[in-house]
């Protein structure tokens, strides 16, 4: 075992020599790094390489290092390099990744549905961003010479394959090799830096007592955005006008409460999946059949109904029937403002898209690029050319909604502009007159309240602005801001939550009155013993109840309200008539003649 000897052991001098050999560390143990015996720290495949936390919006560098977009962008603005290896890196070099997930939320291969682990060879396609297991790409693409994406069917080349994790190359995810960790560079974003410097985040509020409430109120006051008083005044005027118009209709006044809602400065995220018990599709998930024929899926033995997302649930036609109201302020201010009424009952997608863009501030300072007298005015394109604008589902457009009763039969109709069938984006137009030739070609999702004197005057001011031969206004018309007065979708969700709360409270009480009484007349649930003590028992069945005993001469007890109605049993026995004797029926024998009787005469 020793060097050049037959002994079965290694001496200390041999072990400590420069050419020493170890089965676990290989040759040259003494020349290896002093930290060779330190525990190996490996970054999991689903972690961001800069925050060292699980990613939510993954992107990768051309070398295959995965980052979260919210963490890498501040780094690139400040340093412009790859934090792992120090190589130059630009924002345009990042590749957006798309991971497929199973019903448990675990990342899987989109073709074989095999779950990714830290030992899976994972690759991504540079042109599409779809993530696969390398075994899938090797068998179905490389060996089969099928150079199309297995998900999107887009063509790619061998150079487009980016390795995200290779179990044979563990050093690529070794934390001790990351450059920014060796140098101790701070990777905190400006928001994280402000949170660190905020004294309120470094105070133990549990030990402050009443001072914790004061500190919390002060922080909320500092975070409260400034409110434009001019916009607030215009909102109040619009609210008063709408309330006066709604007071004419008792139904609308009873169901609609208008409060101003300032639009946020940043784009809000789409709603989360619905938690409502009614948000179920009419089809099943298909997991029972899929798991029967595939070993890559978790076995399912029940045909569960598919759960709809909150967005899909809300956008069903005639689901949300509450109308929405908005105030559109124009620039220059001398033009006035328009009060818009939305109809989500017949055009839910168009209304949802319009409200989401308004909340994101998408229409702020966007011009009306087309104004045709005695026809319509069109806007909603941030580029101002009439060729731009995207919906909230970008890059996809949404389809037309033309099956409702809404028509181009009056002045002030609000509709979506498009460039063909099912190409709705962000552009909209308002008509100056009835336009029946546009019926079923454009989605109508609301109207201007022309009964309002202010809106009617604004429509006249807009129509009188001259335009060139192409319809472009000679003087610029801008959408200063659109304020949401009534959001019909939020109102619907709020009503649904309140209804669920009422049903939950009823369920905790044991159900309704009828549900707490069984067919035998017995009450179940809390309080049934007291009801029996008070005279609620004594019934026969659920509906037949006996009279109360213990009373006489009309002073009978209070039991059950049965047949006696409170009168004593003796009164009923004394008032009964004797049952008359029944007449004997003579038995007749078929065929005539008398019968033998009961043989008494024999």
């Amino acid at each position: 075992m020793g060097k050049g000897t037959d002994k079965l052991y290694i001496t200390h001098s041999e072990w400590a020599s420069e050419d020493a050999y170890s089965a676990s560390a290989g040759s040259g143990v003494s020349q290896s790094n002093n930290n060779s015996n330190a525990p190996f720290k490996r970054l999991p495949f689903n972690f961001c390489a800069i925050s060292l936390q699980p990613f939510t919006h993954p992107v990768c560098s051309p070398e295959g290092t995965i980052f979260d977009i919210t963490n890498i962008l501040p780094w690139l603005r400040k340093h412009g390099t790859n934090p792992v290896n120090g190589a130059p890196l630009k924002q345009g070099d990042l590749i957006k990744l798309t991971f497929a997930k199973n019903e448990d939320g675990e990342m899987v291969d989109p073709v074989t549905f095999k779950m990714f682990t830290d030992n899976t060879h994972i690759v991504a396609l540079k042109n599409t961003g779809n993530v696969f297991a390398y075994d899938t790409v090797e068998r179905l693409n490389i060996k089969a010479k099928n150079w199309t994406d297995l998900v999107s069917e887009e063509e790619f080349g061998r150079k487009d394959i980016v390795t995200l994790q290779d179990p044979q190359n563990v050093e690529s995810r070794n934390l001790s090799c990351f450059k920014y960790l060796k140098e101790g560079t701070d990777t905190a974003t400006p928001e994280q830096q402000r949170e660190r410097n905020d004294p309120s985040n470094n105070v133990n509020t549990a030990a402050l007592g009443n001072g914790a409430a004061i500190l919390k109120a002060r922080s909320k006051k500092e975070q409260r955005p400034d409110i434009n008083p001019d916009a607030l005044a215009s909102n109040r005027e619009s609210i008063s006008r709408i309330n006066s118009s709604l007071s004419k209709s008792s139904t609308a006044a009873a169901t609609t409460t208008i409060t101003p809602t300032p639009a946020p400065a940043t784009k809000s995220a789409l709603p989360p999946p619905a938690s409502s018990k009614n948000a179920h599709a009419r089809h099943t998930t298909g997991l029972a059949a899929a798991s029967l024929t595939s070993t890559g899926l978790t076995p399912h033995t029940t045909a569960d109904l598919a759960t709809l997302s909150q967005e899909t649930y809300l956008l069903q036609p005639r689901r949300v029937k509450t109308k929405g109201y908005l105030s559109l302020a124009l620039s220059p201010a001398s033009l006035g403002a328009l009060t818009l009424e939305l109809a989500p009952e017949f055009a839910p997608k168009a209304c949802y898209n319009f409200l989401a863009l308004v909340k994101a501030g998408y229409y702020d300072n966007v011009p009306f690029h087309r104004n045709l007298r005695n026809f319509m005015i069109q806007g909603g394109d941030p580029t101002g050319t009439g060729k731009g604008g995207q919906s909230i589902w970008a890059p996809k457009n949404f389809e037309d909604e033309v099956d409702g009763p809404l028509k181009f039969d009056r002045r002030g109709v609000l509709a979506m502009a498009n460039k063909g069938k099912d190409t709705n984006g962000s552009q909209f137009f308002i008509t100056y007159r009835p336009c029946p030739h546009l019926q079923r070609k454009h989605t109508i999702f609301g109207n201007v309240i022309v009964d309002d004197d202010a809106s009617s005057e604004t429509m006249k001011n807009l129509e009188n602005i001259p335009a060139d031969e192409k319809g472009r206004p000679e003087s610029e018309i801008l959408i200063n801001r659109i304020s949401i007065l009534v959001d019909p979708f939020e109102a619907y969700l709020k009503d649904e939550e309140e209804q669920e709360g009422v049903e939950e409270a009823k369920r905790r009480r044991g159900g309704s009155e009828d549900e707490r009484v069984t067919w035998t007349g017995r009450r179940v649930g809390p309080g049934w013993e007291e009801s029996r003590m008070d005279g609620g028992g004594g019934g026969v069945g659920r509906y037949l109840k006996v009279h109360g005993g213990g009373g006489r001469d009309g002073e009978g007890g209070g039991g059950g309200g049965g047949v006696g109605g409170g009168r004593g049993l003796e009164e009923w026995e004394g008032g009964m008539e004797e049952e008359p004797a029944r007449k004997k029926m003579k038995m007749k024998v078929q065929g005539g003649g008398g019968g033998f009787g009961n043989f008494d005469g024999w």
Side-chain angles (χ1 to χ4, degrees):
M1 186 173 181
K3 293 186 296 182
T5 62
D6 294 334
K7 61 181 183 296
L8 301 179
Y9 60 90
I10 297 177
T11 63
H12 174 72
S13 59
E14 292 172 342
W15 182 265
S17 62
E18 294 182 357
D19 57 346
Y21 179 84
S22 170
S24 60
S27 60
V29 176
S30 60
Q31 297 178 354
S32 62
N33 195 340
N34 295 332
N35 296 330
S36 60
N37 295 328
F40 176 73
K41 296 182 180 180
R42 179 179 181 179
L43 183 68
F45 77 95
N46 60 337
F47 275 51
C48 172
I50 191 171
S51 67
L52 307 183
Q53 298 294 326
F55 52 70
T56 54
H57 304 89
V59 295
C60 76
S61 65
E63 295 83 13
T65 307
I66 304 178
F67 305 100
D68 195 299
I69 187 83
T70 58
N71 298 318
I72 189 61
L73 289 182
W75 174 276
L76 293 179
R77 295 191 194 103
K78 185 176 181 180
H79 302 281
T81 60
N82 189 328
V84 174
N85 55 18
L89 182 63
K90 298 180 181 179
Q91 182 175 343
D93 299 335
L94 298 176
I95 304 169
K96 183 180 179 182
L97 301 178
T98 303
F99 283 87
K101 295 184 180 181
N102 58 13
E103 65 273 14
D104 297 327
E106 298 168 337
M107 299 179 186
V108 297
D109 182 275
V111 178
T112 62
F113 293 100
K114 290 184 179 179
M115 187 174 64
F116 290 154
T117 65
D118 289 335
N119 298 317
T120 306
H121 192 170
I122 305 174
V123 297
L125 300 184
K126 187 182 297 185
N127 57 336
T128 63
N130 294 324
V131 181
F132 302 90
Y134 179 74
D135 294 340
T136 302
V137 176
E138 184 182 25
R139 284 183 299 159
L140 302 180
N141 291 116
I142 299 176
K143 291 184 178 180
K145 297 182 179 180
N146 175 30
W147 299 103
T148 57
D149 192 311
L150 300 174
V151 175
S152 63
E153 298 184 354
E154 296 184 26
E155 294 185 358
F156 69 95
R158 187 183 291 269
K159 62 180 180 180
D160 294 328
I161 301 176
V162 180
T163 300
L164 303 180
Q165 176 179 260
D166 186 359
Q168 302 298 327
N169 183 20
V170 293
E171 289 299 323
S172 62
R173 304 190 68 81
N174 187 2
L175 292 176
S176 60
C177 298
F178 286 9
K179 185 175 184 297
Y180 77 96
L181 291 178
K182 289 181 179 180
E183 299 175 353
T185 308
D186 188 10
T187 60
T189 62
E191 292 79 7
Q192 295 171 345
Q193 206 65 283
R194 284 194 294 269
E195 290 180 2
R196 291 179 184 178
N197 299 332
D198 188 359
S200 61
N201 294 332
N202 302 321
V203 176
N204 183 9
T205 56
L208 290 179
N210 296 333
I214 300 175
L215 185 63
K216 185 177 180 181
R218 182 179 298 175
S219 62
K220 284 185 176 180
K221 183 178 181 181
E222 293 176 354
Q223 296 174 1
R224 187 179 303 167
D226 296 333
I227 299 177
N228 186 357
D230 296 336
L232 186 60
S234 62
N235 284 352
R236 288 174 178 171
E237 293 176 1
S238 301
I239 291 169
S240 60
R241 290 196 299 268
I242 296 174
N243 282 330
S244 61
S245 62
L246 289 178
S247 61
K248 301 176 183 179
S249 174
S250 59
T251 305
T255 59
T256 306
T257 303
I258 297 178
T259 55
T261 306
T266 57
K267 184 172 182 179
S268 58
L270 292 179
S275 59
S276 173
K277 61 182 181 181
N278 300 322
H280 292 292
R282 296 183 180 180
H283 59 274
T284 63
T285 58
L287 294 176
S291 62
L292 179 65
T293 58
S294 174
T295 58
L297 295 178
T298 305
H300 289 265
T301 57
T302 58
D304 300 325
L305 291 177
T307 302
L308 300 176
S309 65
Q310 188 180 75
E311 178 183 306
T312 307
Y313 176 70
L314 288 176
L315 299 188
Q316 299 294 324
R318 292 178 170 81
R319 170 87 64 192
V320 180
K321 299 183 179 180
T322 305
K323 292 186 177 182
Y325 294 93
L326 303 94
S327 176
L328 191 153
L330 297 171
S331 179
S334 58
L335 294 174
L338 296 174
T339 303
L340 308 179
E341 182 182 67
L342 303 185
E345 182 178 3
F346 307 110
K349 289 186 178 180
C351 294
Y352 188 84
N353 174 72
F354 189 75
L355 288 169
L357 294 177
V358 168
K359 292 178 181 179
Y362 190 84
Y363 293 122
D364 293 352
N365 298 320
V366 172
F368 283 100
H369 60 272
R370 195 178 179 199
N371 186 24
L372 301 177
R373 183 178 178 83
N374 200 29
F375 182 29
M376 61 87 185
I377 183 171
Q378 182 176 340
D381 177 14
T383 65
T385 61
K387 300 180 181 180
Q390 293 180 332
S391 69
I392 59 172
W393 299 286
K396 295 182 179 179
N397 299 318
F398 64 95
E399 60 272 14
D400 296 331
E401 297 169 303
V402 295
D403 293 332
L406 304 178
K407 296 181 180 180
F408 288 94
D409 56 355
R410 54 178 169 166
R411 177 183 175 91
V413 173
L414 178 64
M416 294 298 300
N418 58 39
K419 51 186 177 182
K421 184 179 180 182
D422 299 336
T423 58
N424 299 291
S426 64
Q427 295 190 37
F428 61 92
F429 66 92
I430 302 171
T431 62
Y432 290 137
R433 64 175 178 85
C435 303
H437 63 282
L438 300 179
Q439 194 66 33
R440 300 192 65 84
K441 294 181 181 179
H442 295 270
T443 299
I444 303 174
F445 65 98
N447 62 276
V448 177
I449 303 181
V450 293
D451 296 339
D452 183 11
D453 295 337
S455 296
S456 179
E457 187 66 25
T458 303
M459 290 284 289
K460 292 180 182 178
N461 296 336
L462 291 174
E463 190 174 8
N464 292 331
I465 294 178
D468 57 17
E469 63 276 3
K470 294 183 179 180
R472 181 171 294 275
E474 294 181 358
S475 59
E476 192 176 41
I477 309 172
L478 295 178
I479 301 174
N480 185 20
R481 184 178 179 182
I482 302 179
S483 302
I484 300 176
L485 306 179
V486 175
D487 189 333
F489 299 101
E490 291 183 0
Y492 178 84
L493 292 177
K494 185 178 180 180
D495 293 342
E496 194 176 51
E497 289 179 1
E498 293 177 356
Q499 183 64 25
E500 289 181 357
V502 172
E503 293 179 358
E504 179 65 20
K506 185 187 297 183
R507 185 189 65 79
R508 290 180 180 179
R509 291 196 303 267
S512 60
E513 184 68 25
D514 292 340
E515 293 172 347
R516 293 200 299 267
V517 180
T518 64
W519 68 274
T520 60
R522 180 179 179 182
R523 287 171 56 88
V524 294
W528 70 274
E529 286 290 349
E530 291 79 357
S531 63
R532 289 185 61 185
M533 297 290 291
D534 294 340
V540 181
R542 183 170 178 176
Y543 302 103
L544 299 178
K545 301 181 184 298
V546 299
H547 49 273
R552 40 170 78 232
D553 298 334
E555 300 176 0
V563 178
R567 289 175 285 187
L569 182 61
E570 293 80 358
E571 179 181 348
W572 285 101
E573 291 178 350
M576 280 187 181
E577 295 183 1
E578 207 173 301
E579 182 180 0
R582 297 183 179 179
K583 296 182 180 180
K584 294 184 177 180
M585 302 295 292
K586 293 183 179 181
M587 302 295 294
K588 293 185 179 181
V589 180
Q590 189 175 0
F596 290 101
N598 56 3
F599 301 99
D600 288 343
W602 285 45

